[in-house]
Amino acid sequence: MKRKQLLALLLALTLTISLLSACSGGKTFTSLQANENGTVTIQTQEITSTAKFFNYDADGVTVQLVALRDSSNGVHLAFNTCQSCSPSPKAYYRQSGNVLQCENCGFTFAPEQIGIVHGGCNPWPIDGVSVDEGCIVIPVTKLEAMLPQFTSWGGPTK
């Protein structure tokens, strides 16, 4: 009798953990930490067609990146602030369907253009990014250089 109860309890626990894992798998905000090389890395396998946001603490100011895959499975990454609307507190993007939309002006932006288009109302590209063995590598100096664009930024971080 005790063995059956223990098995039932283990099964219930396994199902609960599975459900919790599925729910937490949708986590869209991740904190980035600098490594000894003066870079931060993001695993490309973490990036899907659902926008994922990465927060870097630069002297107490959150500098946020947005990453997602386009319809061809290409990985795109940019600062999550609008080049035209920054430094407005609402100069950040949220995903709306399969596009990103600026919370300040409402402009929408296709994933295929993220990190590529410079100027105008679009997510700010990150210069100096490299991809190495499934990792996106970003110099911390590039993140810290954007600190002025994020000092009054009011986007969500959690």
Side-chain angles (χ1 to χ4, degrees):
M1 184 73 137
K2 287 188 178 192
R3 183 179 171 122
K4 284 184 181 180
Q5 288 174 334
L6 182 59
L7 287 174
L9 181 61
L10 285 174
L11 179 61
L13 183 59
T14 302
L15 286 173
T16 302
I17 290 171
S18 295
L19 289 172
L20 289 174
S21 296
C23 292
S24 65
K27 181 180 175 188
T28 58
F29 295 95
T30 301
S31 294
L32 297 173
Q33 300 296 321
N35 60 34
E36 64 279 353
N37 299 327
T39 62
V40 297
T41 58
I42 299 170
Q43 299 289 320
T44 57
Q45 67 188 22
E46 292 182 52
I47 301 170
T48 67
S49 60
T50 300
K52 186 156 184 177
F53 302 92
F54 296 89
N55 299 322
Y56 178 76
D57 185 320
D59 295 326
V61 174
T62 298
V63 173
Q64 191 174 83
L65 314 176
V66 58
L68 69 159
R69 287 189 185 269
D70 64 24
S71 59
S72 300
N73 208 30
V75 173
H76 294 267
L77 177 76
F79 289 106
N80 189 23
T81 191
C82 176
Q83 291 184 58
S84 293
C85 298
S86 185
S88 167
K90 293 186 101 182
Y92 60 90
Y93 286 83
R94 289 186 191 249
Q95 189 166 15
S96 177
N98 63 347
V99 298
L100 292 183
Q101 183 171 20
C102 179
E103 287 294 299
N104 193 59
C105 70
F107 185 79
T108 58
F109 206 71
E112 289 79 8
Q113 298 171 317
I114 295 170
I116 296 172
V117 177
H118 290 265
C121 187
N122 54 69
W124 207 302
I126 307 169
D127 295 323
V129 173
S130 63
V131 179
D132 182 31
E133 296 182 23
C135 290
I136 300 170
V137 181
I138 309 156
V140 168
T141 56
K142 300 297 181 179
L143 300 174
E144 292 173 350
M146 286 296 287
L147 187 99
Q149 303 312 90
F150 284 89
T151 53
S152 63
W153 184 84
T157 58
K158 298 178 186 177

